[in-house]
Amino acid sequence: MPTPRTVREIRSLLVGPVCSLPTTFAADGSIDVAGVRRIIDAGIEAGSTVSLLTAGDTQLVYLSDDEQAELARLLVEQVAGRALTVAATRHTSTRQAVRFAHQCRELGVDMLMPTAWFYGADAPDVDGLTRFYQRVAEVLPVMIVGFPPHAVLDALVDVPNVIAFKEDGSEGYAIRAVERYGERFAMNTGGTLWRHLTQWPYGCRTYFDCYTTFAPHVSRAYAAAVRADDIAAGRAVVERYDLPFFALNDSWPGGIQAVWRGALALRGLATHHLPEPARSLSDDELTRLRDVLTAMDLLREE
């Protein structure tokens, strides 16, 4: 088992692009293990210092408890110390999250991003949500996820093992959170580069970047722009690549998750399947997608 990273080491790696891993599947719905391994390698080679599982991109809703643990084991094994490893849970209870945290610690996972079962509720139980993260943090370093009330974040600022926050709220909520908690938590934006660009001026330095997995030239161009504090260059990358790519969410069957897996398949990294009832692209759609992504300069050979 790898030697546990210190809080300082974890924070030092939480900067720049995060490779949020999109689980790919065989046609029968089982995990495409070889594909997941290649995706992990692609993310690290593209410059990400974080290999992360998340409830959404990793499609945890389709995985059994055993598969979820197996994916965490696979993550640690394939990363082999080259990046920070972050596992995640689907919506779950405190008891289940703590149990999975113990599994992750035994596997050598660096950090856990647990998702509370009432994530997204209009009026979450502040005390219960606070205890949820406190209990998990007693076992393993924690990345908060979602858009919890500030009362919860206020209660967690003095918990040493609560290190990072991946926001999933509105842009207004995110900016207020960066301004208020950015000195305490390593703040992460999820999803698009344009979302990160709105938070960069407020001090957010870490962001999910799907292009690390299939279009590393985009990832490197954006990373170079924000490292140089060149917002105009970052905007140019967003307008040239990010906005058109994510616009496919509204025009392709299965949305961006199906398109993303299609891109991975077209790059020869993994399969394009998602487990039913999720929608996978057909062979004809995959052929059409090749033309679309080529025109966007998103299948460039390195």
Side-chain angles (χ1 to χ4, degrees), residues 21-196:
L21 293 161
T23 308
T24 54
F25 297 85
D28 65 1
S30 60
I31 295 172
D32 170 24
V33 172
V36 170
R37 288 186 183 275
R38 286 191 289 268
I39 293 167
I40 290 170
D41 286 345
I44 294 171
E45 290 165 7
S48 177
T49 57
V50 185
S51 294
L52 175 145
L53 308 177
T54 184
D57 292 340
T58 309
Q59 303 288 292
L60 294 185
V61 68
Y62 295 116
L63 302 182
S64 68
D65 290 347
D66 287 344
E67 287 173 322
Q68 184 173 298
E70 176 60 18
L71 198 57
R73 184 200 64 76
L74 175 62
L75 174 70
V76 173
E77 179 181 287
Q78 191 65 23
V79 169
R82 295 175 293 163
L84 186 73
T85 55
V86 184
T89 72
R90 52 187 176 269
H91 297 193
T92 191
S93 68
T94 301
R95 179 181 62 84
Q96 291 168 319
V98 169
R99 183 174 62 184
F100 187 61
H102 280 287
Q103 286 183 279
C104 287
R105 187 174 67 180
E106 292 173 4
L107 291 169
V109 172
D110 293 313
M111 176 181 281
L112 184 62
M113 183 168 56
T115 307
W117 71 268
F118 43 73
Y119 163 71
D122 291 333
D125 175 11
V126 169
D127 292 338
L129 187 53
T130 301
R131 285 193 299 271
F132 175 83
Y133 285 115
Q134 289 172 330
R135 290 283 310 282
V136 176
E138 291 171 2
V139 181
L140 202 66
V142 162
M143 180 181 290
I144 303 165
V145 62
F147 43 97
H150 284 178
V152 173
L153 300 175
D154 289 340
L156 295 173
V157 293
D158 294 324
V159 180
N161 242 16
V162 178
I163 299 174
F165 179 23
K166 187 254 182 178
E167 56 79 18
D168 264 340
S170 68
E171 284 76 38
Y173 173 94
I175 289 171
R176 289 190 296 273
V178 173
E179 288 182 309
R180 184 164 175 169
Y181 303 102
E183 294 298 318
R184 171 57 182 85
F185 302 126
M187 304 296 293
N188 298 252
T189 59
T192 59
L193 298 183
W194 71 259
R195 187 177 179 88
H196 175 252

Side-chain angles (χ1 to χ4, degrees), residues 179-240:
E179 288 182 309
R180 184 164 175 169
Y181 303 102
E183 294 298 318
R184 171 57 182 85
F185 302 126
M187 304 296 293
N188 298 252
T189 59
T192 59
L193 298 183
W194 71 259
R195 187 177 179 88
H196 175 252
L197 196 63
T198 66
Q199 296 177 40
W200 173 264
Y202 298 91
C204 183
R205 295 296 181 261
T206 313
Y207 52 94
F208 282 24
D209 182 352
C210 68
Y211 307 104
T212 60
T213 62
F214 72 93
H217 61 289
V218 177
S219 182
R220 293 186 182 115
Y222 185 77
V226 294
R227 277 197 305 268
D229 206 19
D230 188 341
I231 300 301
R235 176 181 173 180
V237 175
V238 166
E239 292 179 344
R240 173 70 180 85

